[in-house]
Amino acid sequence: MGRFRTIPQSFYRRSAELVARELLGRYLVRDLDGSRLVLRIVETEAYLGAEDRASHAWGGRRTRRTSALFRAGGFAYVYLVYGMYHCLNAVTGNKADGGAVLIRAGEAVEGDDFMKTHRSLTREPRPGDLAGGPGKLCQALAIDGGMNGTPLFRGPLRVTTGREVADSRISIGPRVGIDYAGEAAAWPLRFCELDNEEVSRPRP
DNA sequence: CGGAAGATCCACT
DNA sequence: GTGGATCTTCCGA
């Protein structure tokens, strides 16, 4: 039995809020060209689906872009933001729920040299440089739209067990970059490991 | 069919 | 702290 044991699909078939909290401390493993890159997840955000104005599934709208979001929990939802960066989500709940967890930041555990290359960093990485934000994280692991809809419970991009982060070590705050979402903008659905340097700005 | 906006990041002042 | 990059997607006309 290896160090990184893949988490089964059933883990994701629960509420986005719960999955977001419990993804902290788990490992995101990426197989690429015979190498293995591993990030420990330190920041997530839950998106609740139809009732959540910040969610791409708001109002139940289902478009070409968001179709993966309406699958059963456990699949990746990857989309392009601002024409330049990709964001990785884990779909949660049951089919057609529209819930998801945005994986916002991680700390490198294996393969940091590859991540550094993927991020086009020349100098020595400072805290947050490698994967301290959703766009950076996807660059570090070479994740793009081609991984949209792929399973996270098997295959070249997957989530594995890891030491659980205690409640007392989790800070909770409003989500980032969703000021347009009205009331939902204030909902406490962002989860970070307390005092972790890789967490993105603004630090809660 | 046009326009606006976006779950971001970086360089610059 | 501010603005620019960059382009797909979506909605309204």
Side-chain angles (χ1 to χ4, degrees), chain A residues 12-121:
Chain A
Y12 303 94
R13 306 192 71 147
R14 303 177 297 155
S15 76
E17 189 173 358
L18 200 52
V19 174
R21 179 188 287 261
E22 293 190 13
L23 274 175
L24 294 180
R26 314 269 180 173
Y27 297 100
L28 188 58
V29 177
R30 170 81 163 114
D31 292 323
L32 182 71
D33 300 331
S35 299
R36 185 171 69 176
L37 314 184
V38 181
L39 283 176
R40 179 173 171 271
I41 299 170
V42 300
E43 179 182 358
T44 60
E45 282 177 355
Y47 288 84
L48 305 187
E51 75 270 29
D52 179 1
R53 194 166 171 185
S55 168
H56 290 170
W58 179 49
R61 45 195 217 254
R62 189 172 182 152
T63 64
R64 178 192 198 79
R65 177 178 69 152
T66 62
S67 65
L69 193 45
F70 292 89
R71 302 184 65 177
F75 291 90
Y77 168 48
V78 180
Y79 67 92
L80 185 69
V81 265
Y82 298 107
M84 311 173 85
Y85 299 101
H86 292 277
C87 288
L88 170 67
N89 292 254
V91 176
T92 62
N94 292 308
K95 187 176 176 181
D97 281 357
V101 173
L102 173 66
I103 302 179
R104 286 192 58 91
E107 59 187 13
V109 173
E110 270 186 41
D112 18 343
D113 284 341
F114 289 101
M115 296 186 203
K116 191 175 154 188
T117 305
H118 293 154
R119 289 272 303 121
S120 308
L121 291 174

Side-chain angles (χ1 to χ4, degrees), chain A residues 127-178:
Chain A
D129 276 353
L130 282 181
K136 298 184 208 177
L137 183 145
C138 283
Q139 279 184 348
L141 297 186
I143 294 168
D144 63 15
M147 312 220 65
N148 187 37
T150 61
L152 295 172
F153 48 89
R154 57 175 156 78
L157 177 65
R158 58 196 183 277
V159 178
T160 74
T161 51
R163 191 192 179 91
E164 202 176 315
V165 177
D167 283 351
S168 63
R169 301 284 310 152
I170 298 177
S171 74
I172 303 176
R175 295 168 293 179
V176 178
I178 52 150

